[in-house]
C-alpha cells in the first residue's frame, strides 16, 4: 500500500472514525482502525463490535492494499506533522506502516486486514431518507433524557416509532421522558426499534462536521437487528437494542388542571442558581405558584435560596418539587423563548412544552420535597 494525502484531509477522516467507538476493550485489535487504499480513495474503518464507522477520503493511491493501524498512536503522529507538507504513507512486508512528511519519518506496527472484525453489509431494502438537520434536532432535543445506567439497557437507547400517521423519537430514564414528533415519512414501512444513544450522538456530531446543504438527505436503513446511517462518504452501522420499550403514552398527562408560561431563559437561570443550594445528594428545587408569581427555592444543611419570577397565575397556591437537573436539561434544549408547564396535581408528572412548537414534549416526575 502506498498513499499520498494532505494532512487536513487525513486528519478529518481520522476524527470522524475515531470518536464514539469505545476504547474499553479486551481485544487488542479493536484499538486499531483499518485503512484500505482503493482506486483514488482510502477507506477508513473503526468498530468496537457494537457499532462501526466507515468513511472514504480522496487520496493519491500509488499502490492498493490494506492494514490495521493503532488509532491513538497514528492519530497523535498525524496531528503533530507539519501543516504545509504532503503526507506519504506506505506499508511493507513486515506490516510496518511508514509515515513521512518533509524530513519527519515514523513507522508503527500494524496487523493484516484479515485479523480485523468484518463489517456487516448495509441492507437498504427498508430505508428512509431524512433531512439531516431535522434529524439532528430531533435527536439532540431528546437524547439527554435517555438512561446512562448499564443496568437499564433498554433505556440506553432512543425509541424510533414510525407509523402511517407520524414518526416519533422517544427517550426516557424512568424519571423523565422526551418525545419528538415528525410528520409521517412518505413511502416508508412501519417500524419500532430502539437505537443505542451512542451511535445517534455520533451521527449528530458528524452532521455538525459535514454541514449538509439544504437539499441533503441522510439515508436510514433498518433490518431485523441493525440500523445504518449513510450520508456523503460516511456510513454508521449499529446493532439495535432488543427488548420492549416502556409504554410512554401512558405517562404523558392529558389533563391540564394547573399551568403557567414563563420565559425559558429566566427560569433556566433561576433553576441553575437554585441547584447551587439544593444539596449534593437528593437535590430538589421547589416551585410555588401564587398571586401571579412563581417562587423558585431550595435549601441544604448550610445554604438556602429563593427567587421570584412573574407569571400569569390567579388560582389557589400550588407547590411542586423536582430534580433541578431534569428541569435544566429541558430548558437548555427547549429552543423557544417561552415554555409552558402543565400539572394535574403535585404528585403526578408535569408536562413541559415549548410555546409555539408542538413537535416536542417533555414529562418530568416530581420528587418529594
Amino acid at each position: 500500500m502506498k498513499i499520498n494525502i494532505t494532512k487536513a484531509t487525513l486528519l478529518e477522516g481520522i476524527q470522524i472514525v475515531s470518536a464514539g467507538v469505545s476504547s474499553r476493550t479486551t481485544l487488542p485489535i479493536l484499538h486499531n482502525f483499518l485503512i484500505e487504499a482503493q482506486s483514488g480513495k482510502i477507506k477508513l474503518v473503526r468498530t468496537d463490535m457494537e457499532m462501526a464507522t466507515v468513511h472514504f477520503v480522496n487520496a493519491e493511491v500509488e499502490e492498493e492494499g490494506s492494514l490495521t493501524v493503532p488509532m491513538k498512536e497514528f492519530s497523535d503522529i498525524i496531528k503533530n506533522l507539519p501543516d504545509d507538507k504532503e503526507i506519504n504513507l506506505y506499508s511493507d512486508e513486515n506490516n510496518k506502516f511508514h509515515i513521512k512528511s518533509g524530513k519527519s519519518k515514523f513507522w508503527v506496527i500494524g496487523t493484516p486486514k484479515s485479523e480485523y472484525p468484518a463489517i456487516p453489509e448495509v441492507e437498504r431494502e427498508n430505508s428512509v431518507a431524512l433531512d439531516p438537520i431535522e434529524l439532528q434536532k430531533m435527536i439532540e432535543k431528546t437524547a439527554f433524557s435517555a438512561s446512562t445506567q448499564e443496568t437499564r439497557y433498554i433505556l440506553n437507547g432512543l425509541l424510533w416509532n414510525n407509523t402511517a400517521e407520524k414518526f416519533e423519537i422517544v427517550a426516557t430514564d424512568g424519571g423523565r421522558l422526551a418525545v419528538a414528533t415528525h410528520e409521517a415519512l412518505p413511502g416508508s414501512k412501519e417500524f419500532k426499534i430502539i437505537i443505542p444513544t451512542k451511535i445517534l450522538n455520533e451521527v449528530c456530531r458528524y452532521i455538525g462536521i459535514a454541514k449538509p446543504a439544504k437539499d441533503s438527505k441522510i439515508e436510514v436503513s433498518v433490518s431485523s437487528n441493525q440500523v445504518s446511517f449513510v450520508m456523503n462518504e460516511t456510513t454508521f452501522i449499529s446493532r439495535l437494542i432488543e427488548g420492549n420499550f416502556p409504554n410512554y403514552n401512558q405517562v404523558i398527562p392529558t389533563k391540564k388542571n394547573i399551568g403557567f408560561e414563563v420565559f425559558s431563559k429566566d427560569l433556566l437561570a433561576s433553576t441553575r442558581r437554585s441547584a447551587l443550594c439544593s444539596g449534593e445528594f437528593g437535590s430538589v428545587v421547589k416551585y410555588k405558584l401564587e398571586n401571579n408569581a412563581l417562587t423558585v427555592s431550595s435549601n441544604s444543611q448550610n445554604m438556602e435560596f429563593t427567587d421570584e419570577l412573574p407569571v400569569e397565575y390567579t388560582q389557589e397556591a400550588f407547590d411542586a418539587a423536582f430534580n433541578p437537573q431534569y428541569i435544566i436539561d429541558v430548558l437548555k434544549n427547549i429552543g423557544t423563548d417561552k415554555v409552558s408547564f402543565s400539572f394535574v396535581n403535585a404528585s403526578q408528572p408535569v408536562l413541559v412544552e415549548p410555546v409555539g412548537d408542538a413537535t416536542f414534549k417533555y414529562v418530568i416526575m416530581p420528587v418529594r420535597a
Side-chain angles (χ1 to χ4, degrees):
M1 176 169 52
K2 197 170 184 181
I3 304 162
N4 303 315
I5 192 169
T6 65
K7 177 182 175 178
T9 301
L10 182 56
L11 199 56
E12 182 179 304
I14 292 169
Q15 288 171 340
I16 287 170
V17 299
S18 65
V21 177
S22 176
S23 58
R24 294 180 298 171
T25 178
T26 56
L27 293 174
I29 191 67
L30 297 184
H31 291 291
N32 288 16
F33 74 103
L34 173 65
I35 181 166
E36 190 167 2
Q38 303 171 345
S39 55
K41 290 186 177 181
I42 57 173
K43 179 182 180 182
L44 307 176
V45 181
R46 184 84 190 276
T47 183
D48 62 3
M49 307 297 284
E50 294 293 327
M51 66 170 278
T53 307
V54 181
H55 180 68
F56 290 88
V57 296
N58 293 322
E60 180 189 345
V61 177
E62 292 188 26
E63 186 179 316
E64 295 187 354
S66 61
L67 197 68
T68 83
V69 184
M71 172 57 80
K72 185 181 186 307
E73 290 84 346
F74 184 78
S75 177
D76 288 345
I77 289 169
I78 300 303
K79 287 176 185 174
N80 285 284
L81 291 177
D83 292 334
D84 58 343
K85 305 289 186 187
E86 185 177 66
I87 298 174
N88 313 117
L89 307 170
Y90 65 95
S91 58
D92 63 25
E93 65 276 5
N94 298 315
N95 293 323
K96 285 183 180 178
F97 198 48
H98 299 262
I99 306 154
K100 181 176 178 293
S101 179
K103 298 293 183 181
S104 299
K105 297 177 183 178
F106 295 86
W107 62 258
V108 295
I109 288 290
T111 55
K113 175 185 176 181
S114 58
E115 296 185 22
Y116 205 68
I119 306 302
E121 290 294 320
V122 173
E123 300 177 21
R124 296 189 171 183
E125 288 77 16
N126 186 18
S127 64
V128 292
L130 300 172
D131 181 312
I133 300 301
E134 286 186 16
L135 178 61
Q136 182 187 41
K137 183 179 178 183
M138 291 180 74
I139 294 169
E140 289 180 344
K141 288 183 178 290
T142 53
F144 63 84
S145 293
S147 176
T148 56
Q149 297 178 9
E150 293 183 6
T151 54
R152 312 196 75 178
Y153 184 61
I154 288 173
L155 305 186
N156 291 165
L158 276 62
L159 176 72
W160 284 35
N161 187 22
N162 185 43
T163 68
E165 292 77 37
K166 60 186 175 181
F167 167 54
E168 289 182 319
I169 294 180
V170 187
T172 183
D173 64 3
R176 55 181 168 178
L177 173 76
V179 181
T181 306
H182 189 282
E183 61 189 17
L185 305 176
S188 67
K189 294 181 181 178
E190 294 191 9
F191 57 81
K192 198 170 189 177
I193 57 175
I194 307 172
I195 304 177
T197 309
K198 182 171 73 170
I199 191 171
L200 294 176
N201 286 334
E202 279 309 296
V203 169
C204 285
R205 188 181 72 89
Y206 172 66
I207 292 170
I209 293 170
K211 296 180 172 58
K214 201 170 186 180
D215 57 349
S216 294
K217 295 292 180 184
I218 185 166
E219 183 183 283
V220 183
S221 301
V222 180
S223 67
S224 59
N225 64 350
Q226 76 174 35
V227 63
S228 66
F229 302 83
V230 180
M231 191 174 105
N232 301 334
E233 297 288 335
T234 307
T235 301
F236 298 90
I237 305 169
S238 174
R239 292 181 182 176
L240 297 174
I241 295 176
E242 296 182 5
N244 295 316
F245 201 81
N247 186 347
Y248 58 96
N249 285 309
Q250 285 185 337
V251 300
I252 300 175
T254 54
K255 292 182 180 179
K256 298 181 179 181
N257 298 337
I258 300 158
F260 67 91
E261 292 184 3
V262 65
F263 284 104
S264 308
K265 186 172 70 172
D266 294 344
L267 185 58
L268 174 60
S270 185
T271 305
R272 277 177 164 155
R273 289 191 286 267
S274 183
L276 299 174
C277 300
S278 61
E280 188 176 349
F281 302 104
S283 58
V284 173
V285 59
K286 301 170 189 174
Y287 291 163
K288 182 173 183 178
L289 288 165
E290 189 176 29
N291 299 328
N292 289 320
L294 170 65
T295 302
V296 182
S297 64
S298 65
N299 62 76
S300 62
Q301 190 172 356
N302 303 312
M303 303 172 72
E304 186 173 293
F305 167 82
T306 60
D307 194 9
E308 191 174 285
L309 301 174
V311 296
E312 290 186 17
Y313 183 82
T314 56
Q315 296 172 250
E316 291 183 8
F318 174 79
D319 295 86
F322 300 95
N323 177 331
Q325 193 57 52
Y326 283 4
I327 301 290
I328 289 167
D329 285 345
V330 168
L331 295 174
K332 279 195 308 184
N333 290 279
I334 202 81
T336 54
D337 289 341
K338 298 192 81 174
V339 59
S340 74
F341 283 67
S342 303
F343 301 85
V344 177
N345 56 50
S347 62
Q348 292 192 46
V350 61
L351 176 64
V352 185
E353 298 171 286
V355 174
D357 185 352
T359 57
F360 298 97
K361 285 189 172 94
Y362 301 94
V363 178
I364 302 175
M365 292 292 295
V367 295
R368 291 182 180 177

